[in-house]
Amino acid sequence: MNFKLKHANKLVAVFILIAILIIIATMVFTGDITELFSEKYYFTSIFKDTSGLSPGIPVKLIDLDLEIGKVDNVESNNVRGQVKVEYSVIRSYADRYLKKDSVVFYSEGVPIVGKANLLLTIGEETQSLIPLNKKNEPILKEIYIPSNQTREGEVILTKTFYKEEGEDPITSSINNINQLTTELASPEGSVFQTLANIEELTNPSRSELLRTTNKLISDIADLTEKLNRGDVRGLIGQPVYREILEILEEIKGTITDVRVTTLDIVNNETLASLNNMINEQNKNVSSLINESVKELIDRDIKILLNEQISPAIEEVTSSVDEVSTEVENLLYTVNGFVANTTTTLDDLVNRTSERVDVITEEVSDSILDTLQGVTGTIDELEETLLTEIVTLLEELTNTLSDNLNPAIGEITEDVVVSIDTITKGLTETVYELQLVIGEEAKTVVKSLSVKILNIIDTLDKISATAGDILEERAPEISDAIKSLSDTMKELPELIDNLNTVLNTADLTLRRVDLILEKLDSILANVSGEETLPIPGRTGQGSQRGDD
Amino acid sequence: MNILTRLYNSLKEIIETINLMFNAIVSFFTRWYTGGLIVFEATIDQIWFTGIKGMHVIGMAGIGLGLIVSTILLSFGLPVNIVTSMQGQILTLVIIRELGPLLTALIIISRSGTAITTEIGNMNANKEFDALTSMGIDVIHFVVSPRIIGMVIAVISLNIYLCFLSVITSAVVFNFNNVSYNIFFNSFFDNLEFSSVFITLIKAIGFGFIISSISCYQGYRKPLTFTDVPRVLTKSTGKCIIWCFLYYAFITILSYL
């Protein structure tokens, strides 16, 4: 019995030892024993399609097929059916392989044969994914790694994988769209240059007009004040005549400037180049999208559907968003420019911003609908892509042109309003002149005022038709300008008539002066008294003599 | 005897069995200095009897289980020369996690559980416990503790051996069907998870405690005559099987939640 027990002791020890060794060997072969005692990092990723993804699924490095961790938890993120996946990776592997541009894939594995995995890409960047503090400990408890089912992941993958293979048609199209939008939004781009040109054309002439008008008004006010004082004889002389001539010359010059400016605005290359540019952008974008969609259809649709179309459409969506944002910025710039001339454009810009927001939402909704449509049949994909994307981009470009054209129309209106103000000032001036000069002058000035009223009518027509400038363009505007120029041709004749009237008035006043002198002498002879000075008349003769 | 009385008796039996088990475990680990060598030798003796003496049965069961499972898996007619993911998973789940521990428990019940009940029942019938108690010897410490601890260690070890032999047998069977050992073990370890190993060990430990406690309690709980021993033996075996299945179901459900 004693022998047996001693022998049994050894056998039992071997029996238990072998069992323990089997367990340890199993742990080592499964790799779990190393995980058990290794320091780990914890990561999270967001997935959309996770059928079959469950805790315990191994996490591997995609290039090395090396198991480096396990999925710990899979839970709903409550956002658009997104799923948050939490997984742990052994620290040594994470430090060595996971970089800033690492992306995680979910592989369901080959049916029956394969096993589901989370696959991590080895980053190319030098910067580690895990931020460490001074004690070399991770700062964050959970680190986010973008999955290939998110936009960030797609961007990283596109950068990584297409770097060597060259750009695919979708990326090329997106790049072109980006280039176009960048050009549109660039301060040195054609749109901003055009706007700057418009500003250059309008602002100096407007300030010149205002300055001239102010001077004119102040001169006329001065003249009126003198006339009101009754200083008719002193005023209606050579200086007044020259002053009036100068004023009329200035009026003539101002009206000519206005005409030239208006013609520049309407007929010069500004509007034409803006429209051409918008049309060109529209054609470019449409042709690019059409070409891209054709290439998509020519290629294997299923592969494109799975690998490229969905991310590409999201890319297009984002590009459209960027375009919208840039268009919004552009409109705000236009707002800033127009705000210098009139406050009414503020409302326009607000309305435009709201409109762009609405359109952006519509564009986003429509593209989401398109994405849903993509999951349908391949035929639906063709139709949806061709119609939806082209329609959306056309709508976008139409919105751009719709918003810019009224802005330019408003600018034109503003110029016309300025002309209107000047002509009104002219009318008032002439009216006052009419009052001053007398009955003979009244007739001439009346005809002048009638002509100027015609100018006002013509300008009213221009302002009335300004809203339709972009539709009817040059013909109507040129007619109006032609009418204006015809009127202008008659102005010198009117000025000659006015000169004649003024000469007549001068002669009349001289005669009156002579009569008054004779009357003075007669009165002196009759009364034998000294001639009493007539208020407002004494010294006038000397003044005239000085003149 | 009405249902309530039966229920009361059953509940009482359960509580007394658990009480006996805890007393034995506490006694084993806290009073090791009291007759330590005797208790140790009794434990080794129990492991020898249950484990090593039962190896041939367990070995045959393991080989049989491996043969059955692998043959069933191969009969699916899936791709040649590889072990599919599904086959690997079934292999690990059926052998390691589910059937291995259960089969071990059934073999131990039929072989060692009955032996323990018979031995302790006969000692009880011979009034040996009265004699030992009258001499101041703690029966639980010297008789029950070594059996429970020895049985638990033996069941864990036998479960490991059974699973090991099943897997090896499966590998051989797959190899006969042109699947290399390398491919087989790669697939097996790819699909084997730590949780599976942990659960099979938890099941084995539970089975060891359940079988040994019930077997000891049924032979020890009240004075018996020699004619009572077979009756108690039958009752003990039945209870061991029932409680083992209940525990098995509980752990399985818990592990899949």
Side-chain angles (χ1 to χ4, degrees), chain A residues 171-363:
Chain A
T171 313
S172 175
S173 303
I174 289 159
N175 287 340
N176 286 331
I177 290 168
N178 282 337
Q179 196 179 345
L180 285 171
T181 51
T182 309
E183 191 185 333
L184 279 172
S186 169
E188 295 173 359
S190 51
V191 171
F192 278 86
Q193 285 296 320
T194 309
L195 291 171
N197 289 338
I198 291 170
E199 192 172 12
E200 196 179 342
L201 278 169
T202 52
N203 269 351
S205 60
R206 287 192 70 252
S207 59
E208 180 73 21
L209 284 172
L210 286 171
R211 192 175 58 77
T212 312
T213 308
N214 286 334
K215 189 173 180 300
L216 191 65
I217 288 165
S218 66
D219 288 345
I220 288 167
D222 190 29
L223 188 65
T224 310
E225 191 184 346
K226 285 178 182 176
L227 287 169
N228 285 339
R229 283 208 306 266
D231 195 1
V232 177
R233 193 174 57 182
L235 286 172
I236 309 294
Q238 195 63 25
V240 178
Y241 171 66
R242 278 206 298 271
E243 198 174 359
I244 290 170
L245 275 180
E246 282 172 9
I247 290 165
L248 287 169
E249 282 298 320
E250 280 186 24
I251 290 167
K252 188 182 173 185
T254 307
I255 290 171
T256 310
D257 287 345
V258 168
R259 188 184 62 174
V260 169
T261 308
T262 314
L263 280 170
D264 278 343
I265 290 168
V266 175
N267 291 332
N268 74 358
E269 294 174 354
T270 308
L271 286 173
S273 64
L274 192 64
N275 284 324
N276 286 337
M277 187 200 67
I278 290 163
N279 289 332
E280 196 179 343
Q281 307 284 20
N282 190 5
K283 284 175 187 173
N284 285 340
V285 172
S286 301
S287 63
L288 280 169
I289 293 300
N290 283 331
E291 284 171 13
S292 304
V293 173
K294 280 175 186 172
E295 283 190 44
L296 282 175
I297 294 160
D298 291 337
R299 290 172 62 175
D300 188 344
I301 296 295
K302 286 183 180 178
I303 293 168
L304 286 172
L305 179 67
N306 290 329
E307 296 179 358
Q308 292 186 17
I309 289 174
S310 298
I313 285 169
E314 285 196 13
E315 193 73 39
V316 170
T317 311
S318 70
S319 294
V320 169
D321 288 342
E322 285 173 15
V323 169
S324 302
T325 311
E326 282 161 7
V327 166
E328 201 174 327
N329 290 335
L330 182 64
L331 288 171
Y332 274 115
T333 311
V334 170
N335 179 27
F337 158 62
V338 174
N340 290 331
T341 59
T342 176
T343 53
T344 52
L345 278 179
D346 290 337
D347 295 332
L348 173 71
V349 172
N350 289 334
R351 277 187 271 118
T352 309
S353 304
E354 289 169 7
R355 178 81 188 278
V356 168
D357 288 339
V358 170
I359 287 164
T360 309
E361 285 178 9
E362 287 173 2
V363 166

Side-chain angles (χ1 to χ4, degrees), chain B residues 86-141:
Chain B
M86 188 184 72
Q87 285 172 321
Q89 282 181 26
I90 291 172
L91 209 64
T92 53
L93 282 175
V94 170
I95 293 177
I96 306 293
R97 195 158 159 167
E98 307 300 343
L99 283 186
L102 192 65
L103 197 59
T104 309
L106 291 175
I107 290 166
I108 298 291
I109 288 166
S110 61
R111 195 177 173 281
S112 301
T114 50
I116 288 172
T117 310
T118 309
E119 185 188 12
I120 292 178
N122 282 328
M123 286 170 78
N124 193 355
N126 281 328
K127 311 292 183 192
E128 288 180 32
F129 292 147
D130 293 340
L132 289 169
T133 308
S134 65
M135 285 188 284
I137 294 168
D138 185 357
V139 176
I140 291 174
H141 182 61

Side-chain angles (χ1 to χ4, degrees), chain A residues 15 18 27 32 113-115, chain B residues 44 48 85 157 161 190 192 194:
Chain A
F15 173 77
I18 289 171
M27 293 288 198
D32 288 339
V113 180
K115 191 184 176 188
Chain B
I44 295 291
W48 167 270
S85 172
S157 303
Y161 284 113
D190 265 353
L192 181 63
F194 174 76

Side-chain angles (χ1 to χ4, degrees), chain B residues 6-192:
Chain B
R6 290 173 71 94
L7 198 66
Y8 169 76
N9 288 337
S10 297
L11 201 64
K12 190 183 167 192
E13 248 181 49
I14 291 165
I15 292 166
E16 283 177 357
T17 308
I18 293 168
N19 186 39
L20 178 71
M21 183 180 75
F22 275 105
N23 281 336
I25 294 165
V26 169
S27 172
F28 184 84
F29 289 106
T30 57
R31 296 177 60 202
W32 55 270
Y33 49 86
T34 309
L37 187 61
I38 297 167
V39 173
F40 176 73
E41 283 188 350
T43 308
I44 295 291
D45 205 21
Q46 185 62 47
I47 295 169
W48 167 270
F49 174 73
T50 308
I52 296 172
K53 290 283 181 186
M55 265 297 286
H56 64 286
V57 183
I58 288 292
M60 288 307 294
I63 291 167
L65 181 65
L67 270 171
I68 292 163
V69 173
S70 55
T71 307
I72 291 168
L73 289 177
L74 286 166
S75 72
F76 288 170
L78 293 168
V80 188
N81 296 337
I82 60 163
V83 181
T84 64
S85 172
M86 188 184 72
Q87 285 172 321
Q89 282 181 26
I90 291 172
L91 209 64
T92 53
L93 282 175
V94 170
I95 293 177
I96 306 293
R97 195 158 159 167
E98 307 300 343
L99 283 186
L102 192 65
L103 197 59
T104 309
L106 291 175
I107 290 166
I108 298 291
I109 288 166
S110 61
R111 195 177 173 281
S112 301
T114 50
I116 288 172
T117 310
T118 309
E119 185 188 12
I120 292 178
N122 282 328
M123 286 170 78
N124 193 355
N126 281 328
K127 311 292 183 192
E128 288 180 32
F129 292 147
D130 293 340
L132 289 169
T133 308
S134 65
M135 285 188 284
I137 294 168
D138 185 357
V139 176
I140 291 174
H141 182 61
F142 283 93
V143 178
V144 178
S145 292
R147 279 165 180 74
I148 289 177
I149 300 299
M151 174 76 88
V152 170
I153 293 169
V155 171
I156 294 168
S157 303
L158 285 176
N159 180 38
I160 292 166
Y161 284 113
L162 187 139
C163 295
F164 177 74
L165 286 169
S166 292
V167 173
I168 296 292
T169 309
S170 298
V172 172
V173 174
F174 271 87
N175 189 247
F176 274 117
N177 288 273
N178 299 321
V179 176
S180 72
Y181 290 114
N182 192 23
I183 290 171
F184 176 86
F185 282 111
N186 270 338
S187 172
F188 176 77
F189 286 116
D190 265 353
N191 289 288
L192 181 63

